Amino acid sequence: MAEVFNPSASQRIIAVLKASRPPGWTFGPILFGIGIIHSRIFPQTKGELLRALLQIGSLSLPLCIIVFGMNDVYDYDSDLLNPRKAEGSLEGTILNPVYHHDVRVAAWASTALILSCSLLTQQPENVIATASLVFLGWQYSARPLRLKEVPIVDSVSNGLIVLLASFVGLSFGGASVVDAPSKGYAMALVCSGVHALGAVVDVDADVAAGQKTIATFLGRRATAMFATSTYAIGVASEGWDSVFGAYLMGGLFITLAPVFKVGWAHRAFQIVVCWTVIMAMIWFGVQARGVLNKVLK
């Protein structure tokens, strides 16, 4: 008789942390930072700074447990067929079913934490943006909606998650999301393109598992063209003579490669993700220098 695997508490904690994809813990805080910089309303008191840090922290590990962890729970069958799922990767891992309950419990606890931190801001639009972000984070993978299996909507919903995370930062100090700059929408658009490129890589595993995605619906090359078109629209609307514009131009060329040779999709996906993080750091540096120069004048 086979011995039943009963993991220890430390093994369960490690499994939850791995499912949250640690390389992605920076994404929420980066998007919050982009939003608050666009609002030009920064914390002025220790209390405001503490609330900002709490909300930034809630968008790190806790949000990733919801977005990535629940994805690994509900995608277990297709992940078994997916060669790019590797332990410690930003692209996900194969989560042993024995840990599925642990991830679900952690996701519900994370939901409570994220919403509580939002309520501390006492900003209605922040609460709405945060609640919407958490809702989409859940429903991307979980039923009843399971947006990741609604072709095209799967990629669009990823862009909306990015947009909502930036709205959380934008609304932290009381700014209205109605006043969000067009760059935020362009950023969400190209992120939907990045997701689509990832779907191109997963198409064989998704077809084998019977899952519907933008790539199974449009086909590999058409989906790669969709990804490229999002960057092309971004360049057309925002220009290229800025850090963000340079990012869009770079992304345009990177995503163009798999349009000509679909086999390059995986490498292009990895490069564009790295390119996004690098350019975000450069953008933050430029913005910080601008704020510092104003303070010193």
Side-chain angles (χ1 to χ4, degrees), residues 194 231 243-255 268-282:
V194 172
Y231 277 94
V243 173
F244 185 56
Y247 162 69
L248 293 173
M249 282 295 294
L252 176 61
F253 285 113
I254 294 168
T255 57
F269 174 77
Q270 292 173 325
I271 293 173
V272 80
V273 170
C274 291
W275 176 246
T276 300
V277 174
I278 290 170
M279 292 305 289
M281 293 298 99
I282 292 174

Side-chain angles (χ1 to χ4, degrees), residues 109-185:
S110 296
T111 297
L113 176 63
I114 295 169
L115 294 177
S116 297
C117 290
S118 176
L119 289 171
L120 290 176
T121 69
Q122 300 180 36
Q123 299 292 348
E125 289 194 35
N126 184 279
V127 175
I128 293 172
T130 303
S132 301
L133 172 63
V134 171
F135 175 79
L136 266 183
W138 272 93
Q139 290 303 304
Y140 173 72
S141 299
R143 301 195 184 282
L145 299 183
R146 191 160 165 76
L147 298 175
K148 74 170 300 172
E149 285 201 64
V150 183
I152 301 178
V153 173
D154 55 346
S155 291
V156 172
S157 63
N158 265 257
L160 285 175
I161 287 174
V162 168
L163 184 65
L164 287 168
S166 69
F167 278 176
V168 173
L170 182 76
S171 60
F172 174 80
S176 175
V177 297
V178 176
D179 300 322
S182 60
K183 288 181 174 62
Y185 294 96

Side-chain angles (χ1 to χ4, degrees), residues 50-94:
L50 177 59
R51 287 193 290 273
L53 291 174
L54 286 172
Q55 186 154 54
I56 290 171
S58 74
L59 297 181
S60 183
L61 167 61
L63 182 61
C64 286
I65 290 175
I66 296 171
V67 175
F68 296 134
M70 294 308 299
N71 186 65
D72 286 350
V73 168
Y74 285 95
D75 278 11
Y76 176 72
D77 291 335
S78 63
D79 285 349
L80 288 173
L81 306 171
N82 195 332
R84 77 183 179 103
K85 298 297 181 179
E87 191 169 306
S89 169
L90 180 59
E91 299 176 63
T93 185
I94 298 174

